[in-house]
Amino acid sequence: MFYHLLYPLHTSISVFNVFRYITFRTIYASLTAFLICFIFGPWVIRRLSELQIGQYIRTDGPETHHKKAGTPTMGGTLIVFSIVLSTLLWCNLTNVYVWIALLVVVGYGSIGFIDDYLMLIKKRNRGLTVRVKFLMQVMLALATGILLYFIPDFNTRVTIPFLKTMSPDLGAGYVLFVVLVIVGTSNAVNLTDGLDGLAIGPVIIAAVTYMIFAYVAGHVKIADYLQISYVPGSGEVAVFCGAVAGAGMGFLWFNTYPAQVFMGDVGSLSLGAALGAVSVITKQEILLVIVGGIFVVEALSVIFQVGYFKVTHGKRIFRMAPLHHHFELKGWPEPKVIVRFWIIAIALALISMSTLKLR
Ligand code: 57M
């Protein structure tokens, strides 16, 4: 909005020229989203408490979690709100990728919202049935894939990290690939969201990483110099990524150990899907396995644990899945698990960025 309202004034007041720059708008989108969460956070937490939107804690979980009963959840509503508002304020709204990213955040946020809402009304730790939730996620990702497929400048090649000459063209199959990436990431972030700040930390780190990739992929000269896929218009998605990172920082202020609020599915599903969508738009889809390595490992720990549990009729690989519970049960204090996972996420982000040169 500022881009459309203030930039045109640069002809008479030259300082408004600054609204043209993606870098400037990214910084301020991030600060705006941070401030929205920071300022409205206490009010939202109070309202959620008053409405008794408190977390039900599973009795079969680690004992340390029992004291968390009643912590307000659905704080993700504020995250989604601040991302959307900040994006609308700072992005060039004629950019199709920005609208696709917003569609994904709001769409997955709505699925999570319904799930949380049902869970809280029914007062049990299950909302939508797994099948219905999954179907809604697939339909939305399918719509996103189809929209992308019909954008004339958007190609259907997949970038393989470290191998610049190999980028297979999936053709119409790219739509299904988009479904896999978005639905997979959304659920992986959801599984990771089980300790204070555990999911939001790596989400912020991944958003900052993709902010850089979006800028680079949308800049014809830099993309050419670094020999990565040039996606005309994708630079504007850097502003969106800035908003995600800023909202994440604002939320982390209250979600850090000991958490005053949890994000709920409304937050975890929407943030995961947003990262998936951004990885697709910037043509760094496979790289998400590295950037979001924490989410991948958490999801794999569940797949292996459940698979092994079924095959062996009750034996386990980990003390408990997802993986963070394993370390908790080994006796690591919660903040230790969280911060160590963040450290790994930062290292993975650095490795991802090295692919800009190593190829
Ligand atoms: C949701 N939700 C948290 C909060 C958050 C297939 C199966 C492995 C699935 C998995 C599962 O249901 N995972 C998805 C994880 C829950 O947090 C809420 O959910 C939202 C995210 N969707 O925003 O609203 C709990 O996590 C804790 N929490 C924090 N701080 C935070 O900032 O401490 C969350 C955010 C909260 C709070 O305690 O209540 C969750 O963990 O439920 N299922 C499991 O994770 C279960 N694993 C399991 O049963 N494993 C088995 C195998 C054989 C399947 C095994 O290993 O033995 C565990 N879940 C829990 N306790 N809570 C089991 C123990």
Side-chain angles (χ1 to χ4, degrees):
M1 206 171 285
F2 290 143
Y3 174 79
H4 302 283
L5 291 178
L6 301 178
Y7 175 57
L9 303 179
H10 78 280
T11 43
S12 38
I13 311 168
S14 64
V15 70
F16 287 127
N17 199 28
V18 79
F19 287 96
R20 200 184 104 201
Y21 297 107
I22 286 174
T23 41
F24 174 81
R25 287 185 287 115
T26 300
I27 292 169
Y28 279 88
S30 147
L31 289 173
T32 306
F34 168 72
L35 282 176
I36 294 172
C37 279
F38 184 76
I39 292 168
F40 292 105
W43 180 78
V44 169
I45 294 170
R46 251 195 331 272
R47 286 296 293 152
L48 290 171
S49 303
E50 280 163 16
L51 295 169
Q52 299 200 319
I53 305 200
Q55 183 72 48
Y56 168 91
I57 305 285
R58 291 175 53 145
T59 43
D60 55 352
E63 225 178 277
T64 45
H65 282 250
H66 297 172
K67 63 175 186 291
K68 292 173 185 249
T71 306
T73 183
M74 291 181 82
T77 334
L78 181 60
I79 302 181
V80 172
F81 173 75
S82 65
I83 293 174
V84 173
L85 184 57
S86 178
T87 303
L88 291 177
L89 286 175
W90 291 101
C91 272
N92 172 353
L93 297 176
T94 60
N95 185 293
V96 65
Y97 296 119
V98 168
W99 287 105
I100 290 179
L102 285 178
L103 167 85
V104 168
V105 166
V106 173
Y108 277 79
S110 308
I111 298 173
F113 186 92
I114 298 170
D115 192 31
D116 287 334
Y117 192 74
L118 291 179
M119 172 188 91
L120 292 157
I121 294 235
K122 288 184 184 166
K123 292 281 175 214
R124 59 191 172 95
N125 209 15
R126 285 280 167 263
L128 287 171
T129 61
V130 176
R131 192 189 292 253
V132 171
K133 191 162 141 186
F134 185 69
L135 204 70
M136 288 168 94
Q137 290 178 315
V138 170
M139 297 306 279
L140 198 55
L142 206 56
T144 310
I146 293 170
L147 280 174
L148 284 168
Y149 184 72
F150 284 109
I151 295 176
D153 281 338
F154 193 79
N155 70 58
T156 46
R157 291 187 172 279
V158 177
T159 309
I160 316 279
F162 301 110
L163 301 173
K164 75 174 172 211
T165 48
M166 227 174 97
S167 53
D169 194 340
L170 301 187
Y174 194 82
V175 174
L176 295 180
F177 179 66
V178 171
V179 174
L180 180 77
V181 173
I182 295 183
V183 175
T185 321
S186 175
N187 287 310
V189 172
N190 188 29
L191 286 171
T192 308
D193 190 26
L195 297 180
D196 302 351
L198 185 72
I200 199 68
V203 163
I204 297 169
I205 295 160
V208 172
T209 309
Y210 273 110
M211 184 173 90
I212 295 166
F213 276 99
Y215 184 79
V216 168
H219 196 295
V220 66
K221 283 189 186 146
I222 305 179
D224 180 52
Y225 170 69
L226 293 170
Q227 294 183 299
I228 64 163
S229 265
Y230 169 56
V231 187
S234 70
E236 205 60 33
V237 173
V239 185
F240 171 81
C241 291
V244 173
M249 292 189 304
F251 176 74
L252 181 58
W253 189 273
F254 304 104
N255 180 236
T256 188
Y257 181 86
Q260 293 162 264
V261 67
F262 299 153
M263 66 171 83
D265 280 19
V266 53
S268 56
L269 293 183
S270 57
L271 289 169
L275 290 177
V278 164
S279 77
V280 169
I281 293 170
T282 55
K283 293 261 131 232
Q284 296 294 340
E285 316 89 343
I286 309 273
L287 193 73
L288 188 55
V289 175
I290 306 175
V291 181
I294 291 288
F295 309 128
V296 174
V297 170
E298 289 266 32
L300 286 180
S301 74
V302 169
I303 293 169
F304 288 140
Q305 177 92 330
V306 174
Y308 192 73
F309 190 84
K310 282 191 180 150
V311 173
T312 59
H313 303 290
K315 281 195 188 155
R316 290 182 165 82
I317 304 173
F318 306 105
R319 295 192 185 188
M320 191 183 275
L323 193 62
H324 51 264
H325 286 318
H326 172 77
F327 293 110
E328 272 196 294
L329 292 178
K330 272 184 81 171
W332 292 19
E334 186 173 339
K336 200 178 209 82
V337 184
I338 300 159
V339 175
R340 286 188 172 167
F341 276 45
W342 288 354
I343 295 171
I344 295 169
I346 294 172
L348 290 169
L350 292 173
I351 295 172
S352 314
M353 282 186 244
S354 78
T355 64
L356 284 172
K357 281 286 176 194
L358 273 182
R359 32 186 47 237

